[in-house]
C-alpha cells in the first residue's frame, strides 16, 4: 500500500495491516454503512445499481426518505426532489418551512417546472392547512371529465341525474 509519511516527505510502500476495517453482509449493489470501529456492513435493503437507488422493506412496514433540516426562517427550503434532463434541472418538488419558526411544526410543498433555459417556475402549492393553490397555469380536464360534486349531491331529491354533479 502506498502511504503518506508526512508533509515534505516522500510517500512509502507498506504492507497491508493484518487488522482493520472489515466488511460483512455485502452482496452486489448494496450500499455500505459504518457499524462501529473498523466495521462496515452491506445494507441488504438499500441498493444502488448505477441507475436506481432502492430502499426496499421486506416486512409489513413503510419505507421513507427523510429530509431533516434545522432552518430558522419562514419560506426556507428543507429539501426536495430534483429532476434533471442531461444535467439541466427541469422540475422539482420542494419542502419548505412556514411561519411557525418557534415550534417548527408547519410547512408546505411546492411543485415547479421549467419551460425553457433552466428557470424554474412554481405552479402548485399545498398549504399547511391542506389548501391547494394553483400559483401559475390552469387546471385542465380531459373531455367529459371535471370536478365531481356527487359526494354532496342528492339526485333523487332534485330529480337530477348523476352527471349534473359534474362541473
Amino acid at each position: 500500500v502506498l502511504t503518506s509519511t508526512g508533509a515534505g516527505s516522500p510517500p512509502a510502500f507498506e504492507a497491508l495491516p493484518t487488522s482493520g476495517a472489515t466488511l460483512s453482509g455485502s452482496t452486489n449493489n448494496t450500499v455500505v454503512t459504518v457499524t462501529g470501529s473498523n466495521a462496515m456492513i452491506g445494507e441488504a435493503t438499500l441498493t444502488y445499481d448505477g441507475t436506481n437507488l432502492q430502499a426496499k422493506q421486506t416486512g409489513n412496514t413503510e419505507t421513507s426518505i427523510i429530509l431533516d433540516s434545522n432552518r430558522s426562517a419562514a419560506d426556507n427550503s428543507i429539501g426536495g426532489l430534483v429532476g434533471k434532463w442531461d444535467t439541466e434541472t427541469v422540475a422539482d418538488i420542494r419542502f419548505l418551512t412556514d411561519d411557525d419558526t418557534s415550534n417548527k411544526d408547519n410547512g408546505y410543498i411546492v411543485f415547479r417546472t421549467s419551460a425553457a433555459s433552466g428557470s424554474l417556475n412554481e405552479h402548485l402549492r399545498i398549504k399547511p392547512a391542506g389548501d391547494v393553490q394553483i400559483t401559475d397555469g390552469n387546471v385542465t380536464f380531459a373531455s367529459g371529465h371535471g370536478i365531481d360534486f356527487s359526494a354532496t349531491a342528492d339526485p333523487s331529491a332534485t330529480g337530477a341525474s348523476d352527471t349534473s354533479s359534474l362541473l
Side-chain angles (χ1 to χ4, degrees), residues 135-149:
T135 54
D136 187 20
N138 298 311
V139 177
T140 59
F141 298 96
S143 178
H145 298 277
I147 301 172
D148 187 348
F149 294 98

Side-chain angles (χ1 to χ4, degrees), residues 101-117:
T101 57
S102 298
N103 294 328
K104 298 182 178 182
D105 61 359
N106 64 350
Y108 59 97
I109 304 170
V110 298
F111 295 80
R112 305 184 308 171
T113 61
S114 172
S117 304

Side-chain angles (χ1 to χ4, degrees), residues 90-155:
V90 297
D92 70 11
I93 301 171
R94 307 300 304 172
F95 304 95
L96 293 106
T97 60
D98 202 44
D99 58 359
D100 188 352
T101 57
S102 298
N103 294 328
K104 298 182 178 182
D105 61 359
N106 64 350
Y108 59 97
I109 304 170
V110 298
F111 295 80
R112 305 184 308 171
T113 61
S114 172
S117 304
S119 60
L120 291 171
N121 296 306
E122 179 182 323
H123 298 289
L124 178 75
R125 182 178 290 204
I126 302 175
K127 304 286 282 178
D131 293 336
V132 176
Q133 180 182 16
I134 304 296
T135 54
D136 187 20
N138 298 311
V139 177
T140 59
F141 298 96
S143 178
H145 298 277
I147 301 172
D148 187 348
F149 294 98
S150 63
T152 58
D154 184 2

Side-chain angles (χ1 to χ4, degrees), residues 72-91:
S72 59
D75 302 316
N76 284 167
S77 180
I78 295 168
L81 302 172
V82 178
K84 293 188 177 239
W85 184 0
D86 197 25
T87 72
E88 280 295 321
T89 300
V90 297

